[in-house]
Amino acid sequence: MKKYQIIYADPPWELRAGSPNLHAKHQGNRPLPYSTMTMRQILDLPVQNLIDKDAVLFLWTTNKYIEDSYLVAKVWGFTPSTMLVWCKKPKGRGLGGTFGVSTEFLLFARKGHLKAKERHWSTWFEAKRGKHSEKPEIARDIINKCFDGNKFELFARCKSLGWDCWGYEVESDIQL
């Protein structure tokens, strides 16, 4: 089986979307437009079978799942290192209760000693929002600039040049 040095994952965490009514007292009451997974299902994914002895993980998470993302990284065989922050311009009410959520997080974790080919200037970046849960292309650009090796995207929505992938919305390169 092919081994990967770079894993990029956007798990479908169990969340709910906000109300379409901007004046609703209770947000977070609509189901998401895609299937989600429990923590147990995410933890049980056979990621350890895919990774090389020297590898890095980039794992998307939300405020609610920051702590859990560290556990996921560890169970998958990585040591958490740095939290990157995507700053996005507020758009309507969006998700969140007291505070409108305008950031998402990308946990960087390591296994072994994969050397970076370039140092990135910061732990945060700005990018416009896309469709619900769509991640900005700048994140993949940062990964491509910093690391060489076999690249695998877990929970991909579309194919990306130079990346193998697995996901519900794309023709997958491997079976999980």
Side-chain angles (χ1 to χ4, degrees), residues 3-16:
K3 297 292 182 175
Y4 296 92
Q5 291 78 41
I6 297 102
I7 304 289
Y8 180 52
D10 183 17
W13 304 103
E14 287 186 303
L15 296 169
R16 305 223 5 120

Side-chain angles (χ1 to χ4, degrees), residues 53-120:
K53 63 181 178 57
D54 297 312
V56 293
L57 169 69
F58 290 87
L59 178 69
W60 282 105
T61 190
T62 62
N63 283 299
K64 180 179 179 178
Y65 286 102
I66 287 176
E67 245 182 277
D68 292 324
S69 69
Y70 280 75
L71 176 61
V72 169
K74 290 175 186 176
V75 168
W76 285 359
F78 294 91
T79 301
S81 174
T82 305
M83 187 65 78
L84 305 177
V85 181
W86 169 25
C87 302
K88 45 192 178 177
K89 186 177 179 181
K91 180 179 174 184
R93 268 214 50 147
L95 296 176
T98 302
F99 299 97
V101 176
S102 59
T103 54
E104 281 192 54
F105 306 94
L106 186 58
L107 178 62
F108 169 63
R110 294 181 166 278
K111 177 187 178 205
H113 301 285
L114 186 66
K115 296 277 186 206
K117 62 182 181 177
E118 186 175 305
R119 183 176 191 263
H120 190 66

